[in-house]
Amino acid sequence: MTDGPRQRGNASADWDTASESSKDGSGRVALKKEIGLVSACGIIVGNIIGSGIFVSPKGVLENASSVGLALIVWIITGVITAIGALCYAELGVTIPKSGGDYSYVKDIFGGLAGFLRLWIAVLVIYPTNQAVIALTFSNYVLQPLFPTCFPPESGLRLLAMLGMCCLLLTWVNCSSVRWATHVQDVFTTGKLLALGLIIIMGFVQICKGQYYWLEPVHAFETFQPYDIGQIALSFLQGSFAYGGWNFLNYVTEELVDPYRNLPRAIFISIPLVTFVYVFANIAYVTAMSPQELLASNAVAVTFGEKLLGVMSWVMPISVALSTFGGVNGSLFTSSRLFFAGAREGHLPRLLAMIHVKRCTPIPALLFTCISTLLMLCTSDMYTLINYVGFINYLFYGVTVAGQIVLRIKQPDMHRPIKVSLMWPVIYLLFWAFLLIFSLYSEPVVCGLGMAIMLTGVPVYFLGVYWDNKPQCFDTFIGMRTIFSVYDANC
């Protein structure tokens, strides 16, 4: 493995300083360009379509208060996601670094802002997101085995740890970038086929006249009064299902011809996902009433039981495939964020090491796996979704605001992709609505997220900003890094 400065000694041929193929033009450690357009689309679609479409329909409908408004929420969230992706595309080719919005925020607003983005991502966003996907996987796999009760919590967590394949998929991602992208391509195809089955069954239901809840007169029948704060939470639940749209920006260094393939992947993937989500939700309400949907903890399983009969086992397997691919994509991209943060000096130097032969950031991948396993101590998925959604949108908005700031501060900067400023303004207006009313509706959950983020301020000043640390501290960190290299080599 390698990092920027040469380490003392030579652990082995596999753990060495960076070869020419693993450094960029400035001499920094870099990753090989192995991700083409198809794999780029697979990363976006595979990261977005994980557990969200099988978890969020209940949360969106519950807060939207009617079927019609819930479908509108899904459509608007898809449009806003596309707008955000366009803004990120400009930043991705203007500041072409692995690390995504962490790199953009750091370069535009300074080290503290970038560190806080990294800090909350390390502590909350990615471990929690992967834990939710893992719990969804285990819940759908075990539910058919416990038809009259809920699966035991210990079984859910154990399967989430092993079957979510945190361990298996970490091994795959450590072994080869090409293997990881192949896994992503295969399971992305599988999950689209599974959702295609749901959508086709929905069209069959409509042809049979089963569209009572889609008729305008019934679609907007409320089962509770509309509330602006609850509607904001419905958008937050929907945004979780669309989460992952920005993950391709974390691997721009590994993207072949990013100026062309980054926007192309966005233009292909986001409309595809929006179509799938909207029509999957239409299919759900052709088979279930709003009350039945809200009473179900496994929407796709209930859907399958109603329409597929003896073939209902297809749904749990389909969800397992979907979440398996989601975990793989999340591991792949979030490890690159931690790698980028370590390379910039905001995380321990060990996480900036890559394997010379495999060109994979193995320490960052192992760190991602361990942090995800720790988050599996809880199983309250809907609170976790609100928690993660709020923090995610907070930094999405800060990043898009940075696009406007960069336009003002450096108007002549080379921008291979340049979008109209109308798009970031629209995104920020929606962002302000979402955050203000979410904070109003869930002050404890959202406030806790803000508090955890602010704990990063003293950590930044002690660990990053403070240059003249005692020699014993630097020696300890250096020895820990060398010891870890030798451990991994054994």
Side-chain angles (χ1 to χ4, degrees):
M1 282 197 176
T2 70
D3 67 357
R6 177 175 292 273
Q7 298 296 325
R8 179 172 59 85
N10 183 12
S12 78
D14 289 345
W15 302 78
D16 199 356
T17 52
S19 63
E20 292 303 316
S21 61
S22 63
K23 288 188 177 182
D24 61 16
S26 62
R28 299 183 314 163
V29 176
L31 300 164
K32 291 176 67 176
K33 292 184 178 292
E34 295 188 277
I35 302 174
L37 178 60
V38 173
S39 292
C41 293
I43 287 172
I44 295 177
V45 175
N47 274 286
I48 295 179
I49 304 178
S51 63
I53 189 58
F54 306 108
V55 174
S56 293
K58 177 179 177 178
V60 171
L61 180 60
E62 185 176 28
N63 290 296
S65 303
S66 71
V67 170
L69 185 56
L71 292 175
I72 291 172
V73 166
W74 283 105
I75 294 169
I76 292 176
T77 306
V79 172
I80 293 297
T81 297
I83 292 173
L86 284 175
C87 297
Y88 268 60
E90 177 181 318
L91 289 169
V93 296
T94 304
I95 309 174
K97 297 180 181 178
S98 289
D101 40 16
Y102 156 70
S103 295
Y104 312 148
V105 169
K106 184 184 74 68
D107 284 5
I108 296 170
F109 294 109
L112 176 59
F115 180 81
L116 291 179
R117 172 66 178 108
L118 184 65
W119 178 254
I120 202 69
V122 169
L123 290 186
V124 176
I125 294 175
Y126 293 103
T128 303
N129 182 60
Q130 288 165 190
V132 169
I133 299 174
L135 288 168
T136 304
F137 169 87
S138 57
N139 193 39
Y140 269 85
V141 169
L142 292 179
Q143 188 63 56
L145 304 179
F146 298 87
T148 59
C149 62
F150 293 113
E153 189 168 326
S154 58
L156 287 173
R157 289 178 179 173
L158 180 61
L159 186 59
M161 291 177 183
L162 300 177
M164 97 162 179
C165 309
C166 193
L167 301 177
L168 173 61
L169 288 174
T170 298
W171 176 79
V172 169
N173 277 268
C174 287
S175 298
S176 168
V177 172
R178 195 174 299 277
W179 286 10
T181 55
H182 284 339
V183 167
Q184 194 65 27
D185 294 345
V186 169
F187 282 93
T188 296
T189 303
K191 70 179 69 177
L192 287 175
L193 292 174
L195 286 166
L197 174 61
I198 292 176
I199 293 169
I200 290 170
M201 294 301 296
F203 279 120
V204 170
Q205 286 288 95
I206 291 172
C207 292
K208 290 180 178 179
Q210 302 295 322
Y211 48 80
Y212 178 86
W213 293 106
L214 297 176
E215 295 175 349
V217 67
H218 303 300
F220 291 94
E221 286 182 9
T222 60
F223 45 84
Q224 63 184 16
Y226 288 125
D227 177 82
I228 189 68
Q230 294 298 113
I231 292 172
L233 288 179
S234 73
F235 278 107
L236 210 59
Q237 292 279 335
S239 72
F240 174 80
Y242 283 96
W245 56 266
N246 61 321
F247 277 17
L248 189 61
N249 291 69
Y250 291 135
V251 295
T252 50
E253 286 186 25
E254 297 168 85
L255 192 61
V256 176
D257 195 4
Y259 296 167
R260 292 164 59 88
N261 287 333
L262 181 58
R264 283 181 177 180
I266 290 169
F267 292 144
I268 293 170
S269 303
I270 304 297
L272 174 62
V273 171
T274 303
F275 172 85
V276 168
Y277 277 11
V278 171
F279 281 92
N281 278 275
I282 288 174
Y284 287 150
V285 297
T286 63
M288 293 177 279
S289 67
Q291 291 72 25
E292 288 175 315
L293 197 153
L294 292 174
S296 174
N297 282 329
V299 177
V301 168
T302 305
F303 178 86
E305 290 173 348
K306 281 183 166 290
L307 297 185
L308 298 178
V310 295
M311 296 294 291
S312 60
W313 55 268
V314 170
M315 282 297 106
I317 291 178
S318 300
V319 176
L321 290 174
S322 180
T323 51
F324 191 93
V327 170
N328 180 71
S330 187
L331 278 171
F332 185 85
T333 52
S334 59
S335 64
R336 269 61 179 178
L337 170 63
F338 302 154
F339 165 81
R343 189 174 61 182
E344 297 294 335
H346 284 179
L347 285 176
R349 190 172 60 181
L350 173 65
L351 298 181
M353 290 184 169
I354 62 174
H355 196 280
V356 171
K357 293 183 178 178
R358 298 170 182 171
C359 292
T360 55
I362 292 179
L365 282 161
L366 294 176
F367 177 81
T368 305
C369 176
I370 292 169
S371 61
T372 300
L373 294 176
L374 292 175
M375 287 303 298
L376 287 170
C377 294
T378 183
S379 57
D380 187 355
M381 286 191 292
Y382 292 100
T383 298
L384 287 176
I385 289 171
N386 286 339
Y387 186 43
V388 173
F390 178 82
I391 295 298
N392 254 337
Y393 254 94
L394 176 64
F395 277 100
Y396 291 162
V398 170
T399 304
V400 172
Q403 180 187 14
I404 298 176
V405 171
L406 196 62
R407 288 279 192 94
I408 295 171
K409 291 172 62 176
Q410 301 186 46
D412 299 325
M413 189 176 187
H414 176 60
R415 293 176 171 85
I417 299 172
K418 190 173 183 179
V419 302
S420 169
L421 283 179
M422 172 183 70
W423 299 121
V425 169
I426 291 174
Y427 189 90
L428 289 174
L429 290 173
F430 177 81
W431 171 78
F433 155 78
L434 192 66
L435 292 192
I436 291 170
F437 286 103
S438 296
L439 190 58
Y440 167 78
S441 298
E442 289 279 2
V444 175
V445 172
C446 299
L448 182 60
M450 292 285 290
I452 292 176
M453 179 187 70
L454 293 176
T455 61
V457 174
V459 175
Y460 172 79
F461 282 104
L462 289 174
V464 179
Y465 187 79
W466 183 22
D467 287 331
N468 299 318
K469 299 182 183 69
Q471 181 63 36
C472 60
F473 179 83
D474 290 334
T475 301
F476 172 77
I477 295 298
M479 291 302 297
R480 177 65 260 181
T481 300
I482 295 171
F483 180 72
S484 298
V485 170
Y486 277 94
D487 272 355
N489 210 26
C490 293

